Amino acid sequence: MSAVSDRLPVFPWDKLEPYKKTAATHPDGIVDLSVGTPVDPVPELIQKALIAAADSPGYPTVWGTPELRDALTGWLERRLGARGVTHRHVLPIVGSKELVAWLPTQLGLGPGDRVAYPRLAYPTYEVGARLARADHEVYDDPTDLDPAGLKLLWLNSPSNPTGRVLDKAELTRIVDWAREHGVLVFSDECYIELGWEAEPVSVLHPDVNGGSYEGIVSVHSLSKRSNLAGYRAAFLAGDPAVLGPLLEIRKHGGMMTSAPTQAAVVAALGDDVHVREQRERYASRRTLLRDALLGNGFRIEHSEASLYLWATRDESCWTTVSRLADLGILVAPGDFYGTAGEKFVRVALTATDERVRAAAQRLAR
């Protein structure tokens, strides 16, 4: 019997190891701008909430506490403009990556079913389809897809890796098309609070969905906006007819967020101050890195939102990765995200102020 791992591509980040070793030999140390993992402290009010809930000897529930569901629905209405959101419209998940990887399986998809995602995209969309043995394909415009057998359509705005934002008109057109053809839409909106040159909008906004959540679900994460990647804190919001069965499946699978993490999420979603402060940190780093890259001969495309700069010197991404590794700077090659990225690199904003300044200085020489 073939192992499940045989269905999967080579783990892309392993290919970066030689370049990471090169970058690490720089006299002033490596500046790692590759993975995009948060480096700033977890806000104190969130840490305190986690500690206060540390004495949690019993099992948490998959659906979360009523307080958590109140926090989720309240944030969706306050920050995204969603209307009429109830507890039935939300579902906590154990970080967004596990959901992306296992969603096609949990939806019951398999051979003959099709999963579609952007041509430049987070690799786990493909992994999820492969784990379910479903077919997968990429798109430039999802409405050009053949809807026959298309069971799951992934949107990603703001995009990882490009930072591109789908505006309200584009989202509305896509949602209308998907509903017309009975295609389920999952919109990955994990960077929605990190718009720089554009204001991201959710598929949950009534101007996009016409006041109905039928056939649409959005995915949200606290990893970047609250520095909670280590907490594995995320959630879904949207069509109860989709979330209800997922809740039952996840109950059987024991896919539950820890009780202390649930309490931490309540605190995180109830406070907007720390989000503004973190945005200011990223905005400052973005300006410094963007100017340094442009001064070094790079061109930057899209990048109007999210935590990355999508940059190119119009050469192989691996040539660029090698060039930057010689400067002690590690970035992600664009072909990790699809063949259309083979001449780009993704440069993360997730390094300390000191390391970002070091990268800018090296690029200026």
Side-chain angles (χ1 to χ4, degrees):
M1 184 175 65
S2 176
V4 173
S5 60
D6 290 346
R7 304 178 205 163
L8 304 179
V10 174
F11 188 63
W13 295 98
D14 291 344
K15 300 177 186 177
L16 261 190
E17 282 305 313
Y19 301 94
K20 186 174 185 178
K21 290 178 181 177
T22 297
T25 64
H26 191 279
D28 187 38
I30 188 173
V31 180
D32 192 342
L33 306 177
S34 61
V35 177
T37 186
V39 297
D40 298 303
V42 174
E44 186 176 359
L45 83 161
I46 300 175
Q47 294 190 48
K48 287 182 175 179
L50 184 85
I51 292 167
D55 185 15
S56 297
Y59 290 111
T61 65
V62 173
W63 201 16
T65 62
E67 292 79 13
L68 174 59
R69 283 176 262 140
D70 283 343
L72 299 180
T73 57
W75 180 83
L76 290 165
E77 296 199 348
R78 185 179 80 253
R79 298 293 295 153
L80 302 189
R83 294 291 177 264
V85 184
T86 71
H87 287 196
R88 294 175 57 248
H89 292 90
V90 296
L91 178 62
I93 53 178
V94 191
S96 58
K97 184 170 185 176
E98 67 89 357
L99 182 280
V100 174
W102 293 108
L103 178 64
T105 298
Q106 293 177 13
L107 291 174
L109 305 189
D113 296 323
R114 293 163 49 233
V115 176
Y117 46 85
R119 186 171 302 281
L120 284 165
Y122 184 44
T124 312
Y125 302 136
E126 177 184 340
V127 167
R130 286 177 174 269
L131 286 170
R133 300 182 188 269
D135 297 328
H136 54 88
E137 61 187 285
V138 299
Y139 64 79
D140 295 308
D141 181 341
T143 65
D144 291 335
L145 294 166
D146 179 356
L150 181 59
K151 297 298 179 66
L152 174 60
L153 174 64
W154 278 108
L155 305 182
N156 181 207
S157 177
S159 163
N160 173 17
T162 69
R164 182 189 173 207
V165 172
L166 298 176
D167 64 26
K168 191 177 292 185
E170 286 181 285
L171 285 173
T172 302
R173 179 177 63 86
I174 293 167
V175 167
D176 288 347
W177 176 87
R179 283 175 167 167
E180 178 184 351
H181 296 287
V183 176
L184 176 62
V185 172
F186 263 69
S187 181
D188 183 345
E189 302 176 352
C190 289
Y191 297 92
I192 200 163
E193 293 203 270
L194 295 166
W196 311 115
E197 298 164 4
E199 188 62 37
V201 63
S202 173
V203 294
L204 302 180
H205 195 285
D207 288 352
V208 172
N209 61 43
S212 168
Y213 300 115
E214 180 184 358
I216 56 173
V217 177
S218 63
V219 185
H220 296 277
S221 169
L222 284 80
S223 291
K224 307 297 168 58
R225 50 95 72 190
S226 297
N227 301 330
L228 295 188
Y231 283 46
R232 309 317 299 137
F235 63 96
L236 303 178
D239 191 344
V242 177
L243 298 187
L246 285 178
L247 172 60
E248 294 306 312
I249 291 166
R250 295 172 69 84
K251 284 179 180 179
H252 285 289
M255 295 177 174
M256 58 190 78
T257 306
S258 76
T261 295
Q262 292 187 29
V265 170
V266 172
L269 292 181
D271 176 72
D272 296 330
V273 174
H274 78 276
V275 180
R276 289 195 296 269
E277 292 173 346
Q278 189 61 44
R279 277 180 53 88
E280 290 170 3
R281 294 187 190 103
Y282 285 135
S284 176
R285 293 165 188 168
R286 180 180 183 272
T287 297
L288 198 57
L289 281 173
R290 183 183 179 89
D291 290 348
L293 289 166
L294 292 173
N296 193 263
F298 282 85
R299 184 178 76 256
I300 295 172
E301 293 191 359
H302 299 301
S303 306
E304 60 257 33
S306 84
L307 285 184
Y308 312 104
L309 293 169
W310 188 238
T312 181
R313 292 175 60 102
D314 294 310
E315 63 189 8
S316 164
C317 59
W318 290 101
T319 300
T320 307
V321 168
S322 179
R323 185 196 304 271
L324 292 176
D326 289 339
L327 296 177
I329 302 169
L330 189 67
V331 297
D335 66 4
F336 277 12
Y337 308 95
T339 57
E342 60 189 8
K343 291 189 176 181
F344 286 80
V345 293
R346 192 195 73 170
V347 184
L349 310 180
T350 50
T352 64
D353 292 343
E354 183 275 328
R355 288 288 83 188
V356 168
R357 285 194 297 269
Q361 290 165 3
R362 296 174 195 181
L363 287 165
R365 290 171 188 160

